[in-house]
């Protein structure tokens, strides 16, 4: 019985992942594209509308983080993946189930948190030091915990710092960038947000500020 329930849940999740979050353009040919933040922030809509006009297409956007997006591509559920997980992308091309990997652009990651900065990361010399200070102070930190590009980057930083994050201070949010950033602000936590989401959400941010930025490792490429 339990096995049947699990299979049903997985099937439902798979079907939901293949549904269009939004459709841009009204051309004859439909292309399915999966991504997270570029869709949330509106850049995908602008690009898709222009592309669709020129190519008689319509773009079905499926909202998914980088990990899930690559899985959808591997399983041939989508045509295009817009992701920010370079190592996974390169592996996909080497394995032969992805082609035409192209740089779209980049932004950067910020570590944001309460203005009081209980972990004192403003004085950190690099991102690993900032993460170490957060862990030492056991200040509340939200992790996406969803295998997204942001989550992969975060985990790589903990690894560089030789830290296995665990405990009540390290909380899995399992939501997209914008929702996690707003929750971070509401609850006085730390979080690694991409700069584009920060700019869009800034008008709604009340208690948080950018506390660390500028490390070259925090460049975020799509």
């Amino acid at each position: 019985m339990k096995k049947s329930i699990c299979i049903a849940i997985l099937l439902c999740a798979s079907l939901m992942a293949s549904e269009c979050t939004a459709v841009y353009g009204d051309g004859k040919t439909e292309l399915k594209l999966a991504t997270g933040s570029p869709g949330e922030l509106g850049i995908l809509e602008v690009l898709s509308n222009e592309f669709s006009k020129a190519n008689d297409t319509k773009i079905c956007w499926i909202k998914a983080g980088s990990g899930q997006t690559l899985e959808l591509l591997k399983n041939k559920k989508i045509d295009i993946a817009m992701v920010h997980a370079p190592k996974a992308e390169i592996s996909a091309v080497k394995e032969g189930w992805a082609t035409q990997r192209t740089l779209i652009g980049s932004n950067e990651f910020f570590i944001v948190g309460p203005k009081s900065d209980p972990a004192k990361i403003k004085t950190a010399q690099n991102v690993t030091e900032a993460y170490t200070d957060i862990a030492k102070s056991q200040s509340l930190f939200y992790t996406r915990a969803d295998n997204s590009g942001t989550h992969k980057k975060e985990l790589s930083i903990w690894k560089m710092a030789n830290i296995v994050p665990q405990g009540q201070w390290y909380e899995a949010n399992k939501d997209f960038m914008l929702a996690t950033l707003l929750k971070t602000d509401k609850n006085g936590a730390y979080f690694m947000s991409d700069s584009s989401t920060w700019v869009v959400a800034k008008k709604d941010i009340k208690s948080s500020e950018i506390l660390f930025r500028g490390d070259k490792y925090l460049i975020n490429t799509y």
Side-chain angles (χ1 to χ4, degrees):
M1 181 65 178
K2 287 183 179 180
K3 185 176 181 180
S4 298
I5 292 171
C6 288
I7 291 171
I9 290 171
L10 288 171
L11 180 60
C12 288
S14 177
L15 289 171
M16 287 177 66
S18 300
E19 292 180 356
C20 300
T21 304
V23 177
Y24 305 120
D26 56 2
K28 293 179 182 178
T29 303
E30 181 181 80
L31 295 174
K32 290 188 175 182
L33 184 154
T35 192
S37 294
E40 283 193 326
L41 302 178
I43 188 170
L44 177 62
E45 181 177 3
V46 173
L47 294 174
S48 295
N49 285 335
E50 290 302 313
F51 180 84
S52 295
K53 286 178 190 176
N55 296 278
D56 195 24
T57 61
K58 59 182 176 181
I59 304 294
C60 162
W61 167 40
I62 297 168
K63 187 176 178 180
S66 291
Q68 186 184 11
T69 292
L70 289 171
E71 280 299 311
L72 289 169
L73 185 66
K74 187 174 185 179
N75 294 323
K76 300 180 180 180
K77 301 288 186 183
I78 60 172
D79 304 296
I80 306 166
M82 186 182 287
V83 292
H84 58 131
K87 287 185 179 179
E89 296 158 25
I90 292 168
S91 294
V93 173
K94 284 183 177 179
E95 291 169 15
W97 51 268
T99 61
Q100 298 179 323
R101 179 175 181 263
T102 304
L103 176 66
I104 300 170
S106 64
N107 55 16
E108 63 178 309
F109 284 113
F110 298 151
I111 303 179
V112 304
K115 294 175 182 178
S116 59
D117 188 20
K120 308 298 183 212
I121 69 170
K122 274 188 178 179
T123 57
Q125 298 299 304
N126 52 58
V127 68
T128 53
E129 185 179 325
Y131 268 47
T132 299
D133 291 342
I134 291 170
K136 282 182 178 178
S137 67
Q138 296 197 348
S139 301
L140 181 60
F141 181 97
Y142 285 138
T143 173
R144 290 272 297 273
D146 59 356
N147 200 33
S148 61
T150 302
H151 184 218
K152 290 175 186 288
K153 175 72 82 170
E154 178 219 315
L155 292 180
S156 71
I157 298 170
W158 290 122
K159 186 175 182 180
M160 289 192 303
N162 294 313
I163 293 171
V164 179
Q166 56 187 350
Q168 291 185 341
W169 64 273
Y170 185 68
E171 187 171 319
N173 194 49
K174 295 187 178 181
D175 206 342
F176 285 90
M177 185 75 80
L178 183 58
T180 306
L181 176 57
L182 293 175
K183 184 176 178 181
T184 294
D185 182 59
K186 181 180 178 181
N187 294 334
Y190 286 91
F191 176 57
M192 189 172 73
S193 168
D194 74 290
S195 53
S196 301
T197 302
W198 174 264
V199 170
V200 169
K202 193 174 179 181
K203 64 184 185 301
D204 299 314
I205 298 295
K206 297 179 175 61
S207 305
S208 302
E209 65 181 26
I210 300 167
L211 297 171
F212 183 87
R213 62 180 295 186
D215 191 314
K216 289 182 179 179
Y217 193 73
L218 295 180
I219 293 172
N220 181 32
T221 57
Y222 272 90

